[in-house]
């Protein structure tokens, strides 16, 4: 009996919801490319494009879950895809947008790395505990720690900053010099967001 895998066998196993999850990841990557374009050209419109792609990623993220429940088709692969897409769109991309907006000092970078690390940890904890938190149903009853898509609130702040030209040296809050290195106070909202993600706060899932 021929057991040779068929071409693109992994893709053939994707459910409809998984394609929306990939849409989430693609939107996140688009945001990263837009930030790179801004850093090359200096045109603030690219930063606004980057910020605008995060709500699109969230729309895909919401739809993939609803479609999975509607079709009653979910898998471990889909759950892992969802986490990987989320860390791109709601972890790495917001940190990159913040860097593009001017949070480029040493302390800024430490905070942004901390934020992404918290996002990765939050998603890993969710994947490990999802079965327990669902209490036997097909839906998780509550989140432990704030969900990583809440970073869209940070992105909204950065969108308004970019729209008003408050980027680079004009970034809201100015800059603090600590031990010869820079920290932009606005970066502290990423510190707070990351800390809340890895907290034990219980948030009901709607």
């Amino acid at each position: 009996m021929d057991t040779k895998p068929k071409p693109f066998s992994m893709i053939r196993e994707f459910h409809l919801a998984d394609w929306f999850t990939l849409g989430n990841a693609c939107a996140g990557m688009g945001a990263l490319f837009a930030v790179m374009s801004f850093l090359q050209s200096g045109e603030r419109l690219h930063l606004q494009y980057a910020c605008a792609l995060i709500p699109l990623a969230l729309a895909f993220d919401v739809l993939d879950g609803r479609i999975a429940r509607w079709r009653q088709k979910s898998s471990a692969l889909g759950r892992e895809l969802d986490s990987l897409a989320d860390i791109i769109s709601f972890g790495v991309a917001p940190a990159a947008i913040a860097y593009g907006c001017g949070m480029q000092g040493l302390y800024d970078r430490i905070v942004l790395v901390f934020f992404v690390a918290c996002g990765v940890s939050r998603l890993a904890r969710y994947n490990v505990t999802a079965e327990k938190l669902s209490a036997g149903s097909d839906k998780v009853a509550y989140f432990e720690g704030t969900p990583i898509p809440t970073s869209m609130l940070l992105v909204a702040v950065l969108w308004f900053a970019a729209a008003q030209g408050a980027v680079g040296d004009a970034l809201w809050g100015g800059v603090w010099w600590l031990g010869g290195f820079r920290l932009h106070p606005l970066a502290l909202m990423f510190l707070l967001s990351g800390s809340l993600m890895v907290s034990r706060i219980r948030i009901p899932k709607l």
Side-chain angles (χ1 to χ4, degrees):
M1 182 177 178
D2 186 11
T3 59
K4 184 178 179 181
K6 295 181 180 179
F8 306 107
S9 58
M10 185 188 75
I11 295 178
R12 292 169 185 265
E13 295 173 1
F14 279 7
H15 299 303
L16 177 61
D18 297 334
W19 292 106
F20 280 81
T21 303
L22 290 177
N24 172 4
C26 290
M29 279 304 305
L32 290 172
F33 287 135
V35 173
M36 294 178 195
S37 295
F38 166 74
L39 293 173
Q40 288 179 325
S41 67
E43 295 182 15
R44 291 198 311 271
L45 194 58
H46 290 297
L47 271 182
Q48 292 179 271
Y49 287 151
C51 293
L53 283 167
I54 304 305
L56 177 61
L58 181 63
F60 281 120
D61 188 43
V62 171
L63 285 171
D64 69 5
R66 292 188 177 182
I67 290 171
R69 288 191 292 273
W70 166 54
R71 294 174 62 90
Q72 297 184 340
K73 288 185 178 181
S74 60
S75 64
L77 174 63
R79 186 174 66 188
E80 297 303 321
L81 276 176
D82 187 65
S83 291
L84 293 171
D86 283 355
I87 196 57
I88 294 171
S89 298
F90 309 118
V92 177
I97 293 170
Y99 181 90
C101 284
M103 300 180 206
Q104 300 173 7
L106 174 63
Y107 295 118
D108 298 328
R109 299 183 192 196
I110 292 173
V111 168
L112 295 177
V113 169
F114 170 80
F115 167 77
V116 173
C118 287
V120 172
S121 301
R122 165 68 173 74
L123 290 167
R125 183 177 68 184
Y126 175 80
N127 285 350
V128 170
T129 61
E131 185 175 347
K132 181 181 71 173
L133 296 179
S134 64
S137 69
D138 62 349
K139 185 177 180 181
V140 172
Y142 62 87
F143 294 112
E144 282 191 342
T146 53
I148 191 170
T150 56
S151 64
M152 196 178 71
L153 298 175
L154 310 181
V155 173
V157 173
L158 299 178
W159 185 90
F160 282 112
Q164 296 184 15
V167 297
D169 293 338
L171 193 63
W172 291 336
V175 60
W176 296 340
W177 286 89
L178 303 171
F181 299 101
R182 292 179 299 159
L183 169 67
H184 289 84
L186 202 60
L188 296 178
M189 64 182 185
F190 283 86
L191 180 66
L192 176 61
S193 177
S195 299
L196 289 174
M197 283 193 285
V198 295
S199 70
R200 289 290 182 179
I201 297 173
R202 290 190 176 188
I203 300 177
K205 184 174 183 181
L206 301 177

